[in-house]
């Protein structure tokens, strides 16, 4: 019963369609949103259990054997990503129940969220490059609409930058897909991985590899291609920024990981890994320096997304088994911590009425417990033990040192310090110092909320904080899983066999 | 024919890139549309232009009779065109709304995302 693996795609689609039937009935939409994300989470756990027990699963849609049909395939990497997505989906559902205003809800906020999830899951599960393009577009068009929903001037401006650059990268992606098809005569990832060593035109192959790198580089915001991200991610409401920050860039990183380990291997295109290496160093440094200069909480966090992407790309570029496992752990850790920080920024906005660090203050005095909740992901992101970020950073850097990348590993350490510095900046300005507007200004928008809504906003923060702490404390079993995923990824024979070899 | 199409693709790419580098939003939209067409035509061209029969297996035969036209690039382009139209329609509406809200269509004047926000929450 491999049909199970299309459910992470099908379920959100079904939910979105049903929601459209209830377009005037907001309570029904809310309930359905929560229900479908919880279901999604259970299904993804089920799938991961299957993959853990029986290896890579694949489904040939319509019974057409690969490489002729449309393929869905789940290996351990995809399974981990789908579980992380579903978990973030559940928390975002909770958070948006607490924080999204009714007007946005009326303009199809929940169906759009579901379609976004469908696109993300589709991108993780597909085994075919052209389908990857289609899922990217599904994901992007929903994210475009979510970004502008509300129509405030800065949202529209941010969206223009976001939309233009993403459309440009889609056009490049399409061109790369076309050239690759012209060369290899197939777009099935497993089939490509098997055939690529035997085709001629090595120079053209390099062009294709670079085109793919540019595309995914734009999506995942690596060094020279990240400028759209800090210009747009801080403009929508916190629930939307959080899911963007947590998941959308990671889809790009996932694609880079998949492409440049399974399809374009290290022997195939060694120069790509050089490019990745230097791009990762520059991504880390520019991102964190950009973050330090900011005084808007959400913009500071947006720059941090960029900086953290650098670590993951660094791991992919080194490509030792340890590095890939560490990179995968880093992705999961970052999805959790980053989403959490954006939720918290949303709550800060409610509590303090502003995101400008110069204007706000005194949150610790007013809300000590909430301040502790901020510290968990903040220190986790900066890499303080025993939180998950410590292990993630430690392993990435260790993998770097083992393969002789001393310079970039050193840079990574330094960037960790600067990350800590910028988190302390938020702490000092927003939480520790006295409120420059005098006391009693704090929390007007927050007090206006009902009790249930407050719980809905705090609960996801607690949940994600717990994951950050627990995955740091019980690190060993999590990492064993990541190591298995990495060894699967670096020896793609099993993947190829599962997809092409009668795995219907 | 292939050379002609290759030149056309080149011209479309050049025009598209030139247009998206302009400051006017309208020109950016035209640029994006041209780039989409360029990519589609390119897939069409690299999928090999053969004057062949439709890709149907004849009755009684076990495979396709040569020469046949590869249907896959056309299927890919069809999908890409549909997606492209949808996204372009959205972009046009977005740019129009932005023009109405901000009162300018000069991309260099759109700097409010770089400024610190005033108070207020959402």
């Amino acid at each position: 019963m491999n049909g199970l693996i299309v459910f992470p795609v099908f379920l959100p689609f079904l939910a979105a369609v049903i929601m459209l039937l209830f377009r005037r009935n907001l309570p029904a939409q809310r309930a359905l949103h929560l229900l479908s994300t919880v279901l999604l989470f259970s299904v993804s756990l089920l799938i991961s259990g299957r993959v853990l027990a029986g290896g890579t699963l694949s489904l040939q849609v319509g019974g057409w054997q690969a490489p002729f049909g449309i393929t869905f395939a789940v290996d351990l990497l995809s399974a981990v990503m789908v579980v992380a997505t579903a978990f973030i989906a559940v928390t975002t559902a909770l958070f948006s129940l607490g924080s999204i205003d009714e007007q946005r809800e009326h303009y199809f906020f929940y169906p759009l969220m579901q379609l976004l999830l469908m696109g993300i899951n589709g991108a993780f599960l597909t085994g075919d490059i052209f389908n990857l393009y289609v899922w990217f577009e599904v994901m992007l068009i929903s994210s475009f609409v979510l970004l502008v929903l509300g129509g405030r001037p800065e949202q529209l401006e941010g969206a223009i930058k976001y939309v233009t650059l993403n459309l440009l990268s889609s056009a490049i992606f399409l061109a790369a897909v076309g050239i690759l098809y012209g060369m290899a005569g197939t777009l099935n990832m497993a089939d490509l991985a098997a055939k690529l060593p035997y085709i001629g035109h090595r120079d053209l192959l390099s062009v294709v590899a670079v085109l793919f790198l540019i595309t995914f580089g734009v999506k995942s915001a690596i060094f020279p291609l990240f400028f759209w991200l800090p210009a747009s991610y801080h403009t929508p409401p916190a629930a939307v920024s959080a899911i963007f920050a947590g998941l959308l860039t990671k889809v790009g990183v996932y694609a880079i990981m998949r492409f440049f380990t399974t399809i374009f291997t290290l022997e195939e295109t060694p120069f790509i890994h050089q490019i990745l290496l230097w791009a990762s160093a520059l991504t880390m440094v520019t991102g964190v320096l950009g973050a330090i200069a900011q005084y808007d909480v959400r913009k500071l966090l947006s720059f941090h997304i960029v900086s953290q992407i650098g670590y993951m790309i660094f791991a992919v570029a080194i490509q030792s088994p340890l590095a890939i496992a560490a990179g995968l752990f880093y992705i999961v850790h970052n999805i959790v911590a980053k989403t959490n920080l954006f939720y918290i920024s949303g709550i800060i906005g409610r509590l303090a009425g502003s995101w400008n660090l110069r204007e706000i203050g005194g949150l610790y005095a007013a809300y000590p417990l909430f301040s502790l909740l901020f510290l968990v992901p903040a220190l986790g992101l900066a890499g303080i033990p025993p939180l998950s970020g410590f292990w993630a950073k430690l392993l990435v850097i260790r993998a770097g040192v083992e393969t002789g990348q001393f310079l970039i590993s050193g840079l990574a350490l330094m960037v960790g310090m600067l990350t800590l510095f910028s988190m302390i900046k938020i702490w000092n300005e927003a939480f520790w110092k006295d409120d420059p507007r005098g006391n009693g200004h704090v929390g007007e928008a927050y007090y206006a909320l009902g009790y249930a809504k407050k719980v809905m906003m705090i609960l996801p923060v607690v949940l994600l904080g717990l994951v950050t702490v627990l995955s740091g404390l019980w690190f060993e079993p999590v990492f064993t899983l990541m190591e298995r995923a990495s060894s699967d990824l670096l020896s793609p024979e099993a993947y190829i066999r599962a997809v092409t070899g009668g795995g219907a | 024919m292939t050379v002609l199409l290759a030149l056309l693709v080149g011209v479309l790419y050049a025009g598209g890139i030139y247009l998206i580098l302009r400051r006017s939003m309208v020109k950016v939209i035209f640029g994006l549309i041209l780039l989409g067409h360029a990519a589609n035509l390119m897939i069409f061209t690299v999928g090999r232009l053969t004057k062949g029969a439709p890709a149907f297996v004849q009755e009684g035969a076990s495979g396709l009779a040569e020469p046949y036209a590869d249907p896959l690039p056309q299927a890919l382009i069809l999908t890409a065109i549909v997606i492209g139209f949808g996204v372009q329609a959205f972009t046009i509406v977005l740019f129009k709304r932005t023009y109405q809200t901000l009162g300018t269509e000069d991309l260099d004047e759109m700097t409010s995302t770089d400024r610190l926000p005033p108070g207020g929450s959402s």
Side-chain angles (χ1 to χ4, degrees), chain A residues 9 35 54 67 77 90 95-97 164 173 178 182 188 200 211 233 282 286 298 330 341 353 369 412-413 419:
Chain A
V9 180
L35 179 73
L77 173 65
V90 174
F95 192 82
S96 41
L97 288 180
T164 309
F173 193 7
N188 188 297
L211 285 178
Y233 269 26
L282 289 165
T286 46
R298 297 167 306 165
Y330 208 109
L341 280 171
L369 277 177
L413 272 176
T419 309

Side-chain angles (χ1 to χ4, degrees), chain A residues 371-492:
Chain A
S371 311
L372 290 180
L373 281 177
F374 164 78
L375 278 186
V376 171
L379 295 180
L381 202 71
I384 303 294
L387 302 165
S388 60
F390 166 71
W391 297 104
K393 279 208 172 58
L394 178 76
L395 288 166
V396 169
I397 290 168
R398 185 174 150 195
V401 171
E402 274 180 8
T403 45
Q405 303 294 345
F406 297 110
L407 179 65
I408 300 179
S409 307
L411 273 178
L413 272 176
M414 193 190 79
V415 170
M417 296 291 288
L418 291 175
T419 309
L420 183 60
F421 170 74
S422 61
M423 287 300 157
I424 290 175
K425 176 173 166 180
I426 298 184
W427 173 258
N428 278 346
E429 298 281 332
F431 290 89
W432 199 245
K433 78 165 189 242
D434 290 333
D435 195 336
R437 298 163 302 187
N439 289 327
H441 193 90
V442 161
E444 282 159 12
Y446 189 69
Y447 289 130
L449 290 173
Y451 180 71
K453 287 207 162 191
K454 285 182 202 166
V455 173
M456 291 289 192
M457 283 169 80
I458 292 291
L459 189 63
V461 177
V462 176
L463 277 176
L464 291 173
L466 269 179
V467 173
T468 303
V469 174
L470 291 182
S471 64
L473 290 178
W474 278 277
F475 172 68
E476 180 106 29
V478 183
F479 189 67
T480 324
L481 181 74
M482 303 298 169
E483 269 183 324
R484 267 190 64 184
S486 121
S487 69
D488 278 4
L489 204 57
L490 288 176
S491 53

Side-chain angles (χ1 to χ4, degrees), chain A residues 125 224 229 433:
Chain A
L125 293 176
L229 194 151
K433 78 165 189 242

Side-chain angles (χ1 to χ4, degrees), chain A residues 130 137 144 148 152-154 156-157 160-161 167-168 174-175 178-179 181-182 231 234 296 299 349 353 356 358, chain B residues 13 25 35 40 42 46 48 70 72 76 83 87 90-91 94 98 101-102 110-114 117 119-122:
Chain A
F130 190 76
E137 293 298 313
F144 293 164
V148 292
R152 295 215 318 265
E154 73 270 20
L156 292 169
E157 270 184 33
I160 282 194
K161 294 158 190 169
L167 287 189
L168 180 63
L174 202 55
I179 302 173
Y181 179 75
H234 63 288
D296 178 339
K299 250 194 134 165
N356 186 342
R358 290 199 181 94
Chain B
Y13 266 115
M25 290 197 298
L35 284 178
N40 289 341
M42 180 158 145
V46 294
R48 289 185 190 82
D70 187 351
L72 196 69
L76 299 186
I83 293 175
V87 178
F90 173 79
T91 319
L94 169 72
T98 313
T101 310
L102 301 173
M110 299 186 182
T111 53
S112 77
T113 54
D114 301 328
S121 62
S122 70

Side-chain angles (χ1 to χ4, degrees), chain B:
Chain B
M1 187 64 181
T2 313
V3 176
L4 197 65
L5 274 177
L7 284 175
L8 187 58
V9 170
V11 169
L12 282 174
Y13 266 115
I17 289 171
Y18 174 72
L19 282 175
I20 62 168
L21 294 176
R22 318 263 28 216
R23 280 163 64 178
S24 152
M25 290 197 298
V26 179
K27 287 174 186 161
V28 171
I29 293 180
F30 282 128
L32 289 171
I33 292 174
L34 287 189
L35 284 178
H37 286 318
N40 289 341
L41 262 184
M42 180 158 145
I43 296 184
F44 190 59
T45 316
V46 294
R48 289 185 190 82
L49 302 170
T50 42
K51 254 189 195 159
F56 288 124
V57 179
Q58 294 296 318
E59 214 174 333
S62 62
L64 285 165
E66 298 277 346
Y68 63 90
D70 187 351
L72 196 69
Q74 295 168 28
L76 299 186
I77 295 167
L78 189 58
T79 317
I81 288 175
V82 175
I83 293 175
F85 272 148
V87 178
Q88 282 154 15
F90 173 79
T91 319
I92 291 169
V93 175
L94 169 72
F95 281 32
K96 174 164 184 269
R97 181 69 200 276
T98 313
Y99 173 65
Q100 284 173 338
T101 310
L102 301 173
T104 176
E105 66 127 29
D106 185 343
L107 290 166
D108 279 4
E109 285 174 22
M110 299 186 182
T111 53
S112 77
T113 54
D114 301 328
R115 288 196 292 269
L116 274 170
S121 62
S122 70

